[in-house]
Amino acid sequence: MKKYVCSVCHYVYDPEVGDPDNGIAPGTPFEQLPEDYTCPLCHLGKDVFEEE
């Protein structure tokens, strides 16, 4: 699965890890994140993420 990087703060969303602190289970591909998902560090939306 592809990792995605926040273009603002450089947080890396790794689908193998997920984002358990925000209710995203390990194994969740970026494409399946809710539309209202935000970066856990800078709180901007999915649209600022770019494929790594």
Side-chain angles (χ1 to χ4, degrees):
M1 285 188 272
K2 298 175 186 173
K3 295 179 183 178
Y4 284 78
V5 180
C6 177
S7 62
V8 176
C9 73
H10 306 290
Y11 166 81
V12 176
Y13 176 75
D14 182 348
E16 292 184 16
V17 176
D19 185 1
D21 292 342
N22 291 299
I24 307 298
T28 304
F30 184 82
E31 296 79 14
Q32 291 182 5
L33 293 175
E35 286 306 312
D36 62 351
Y37 179 78
T38 59
C39 175
L41 299 182
C42 69
H43 306 288
L44 294 176
K46 286 175 66 175
D47 59 324
V48 300
F49 281 80
E50 298 173 350
E51 189 177 320
E52 186 176 57

